[in-house]
Amino acid sequence: MSQRTLTIVKPDAIAKGVAGQIIARFEQAGFRILAAKLIHMTHEQAADFYAVHKSRPFFRSLCAFMTQGPCLAMVLEADDAIARLRELMGATDPAKAAPGTIRKDFASSIEANAVHGSDSAESAAFEIPYFFNGLEILPR
Ligand code: CMP
């Protein structure tokens, strides 16, 4: 079933100049790009986006990292997009990510891990409208 997911090419990947290579991975894997936006988030925007992690010890550091430069938020669509994107990204910690995954190839650490992808349909339903209104997302 066709499904949408939110991905973010994170500030570390933008700074390294590998955004194009990461987008190519999405395209090669068959994801359709329905929306894309470069945004340099404020601390408040990053904290609200990651509110689910508010009580984690890495929360402050994560918000600082996500606001250190621009990132590229995108809406991707494919059959089973949420699970397939997470497989393509690899494990959160690049040291544990499988060969050929985006994080294995481009991430620097468990925090600066190059990409984000919605972890469930519920998360996608919060994360997509967090960055995009209806007019900014291409119809199917
Ligand atoms: P992401 O998939 O965007 O979801 C939450 C983010 O928090 C995660 O990627 C990492 O960037 C970061 N993160 C998760 N676990 C840790 C950790 N143990 N230490 C530091 N950052 C983490």
Side-chain angles (χ1 to χ4, degrees):
M1 195 184 74
S2 188
Q3 192 178 49
R4 293 177 181 187
T5 189
L6 188 281
T7 187
I8 302 174
V9 181
K10 295 188 179 184
D12 60 316
I14 301 287
K16 277 186 198 168
V18 296
Q21 292 182 67
I22 292 174
I23 293 168
R25 300 274 181 110
F26 297 154
E27 292 175 327
Q28 284 155 11
F31 289 93
R32 291 177 292 283
I33 299 169
L34 298 189
K37 181 184 289 183
L38 264 177
I39 178 169
H40 190 157
M41 284 193 277
T42 63
H43 182 88
E44 189 181 18
Q45 288 167 337
D48 285 347
F49 180 75
Y50 278 121
V52 69
H53 296 302
K54 204 164 43 186
S55 58
R56 302 287 194 93
F58 56 80
F59 182 70
R60 277 183 73 87
S61 177
L62 173 62
C63 293
F65 160 65
M66 289 300 290
T67 57
Q68 75 186 14
C71 60
L72 177 63
M74 306 174 79
V75 178
L76 302 179
E77 185 177 68
D79 286 343
D80 202 17
I82 293 170
R84 283 184 51 210
L85 180 64
R86 290 181 70 79
E87 200 177 322
L88 187 67
M89 292 190 308
T92 304
D93 182 352
K96 295 178 183 156
T101 60
I102 292 172
R103 285 172 170 158
K104 184 71 175 180
D105 292 342
F106 300 114
S108 312
S109 69
I110 193 168
E111 178 175 85
N113 62 355
V115 279
H116 167 83
S118 304
D119 67 2
S120 63
E122 193 185 24
S123 296
F126 165 74
E127 293 178 356
I128 291 171
Y130 191 81
F131 285 103
F132 299 97
N133 68 42
L135 290 174
E136 295 172 317
I137 302 172
L138 293 180
R140 280 161 209 253

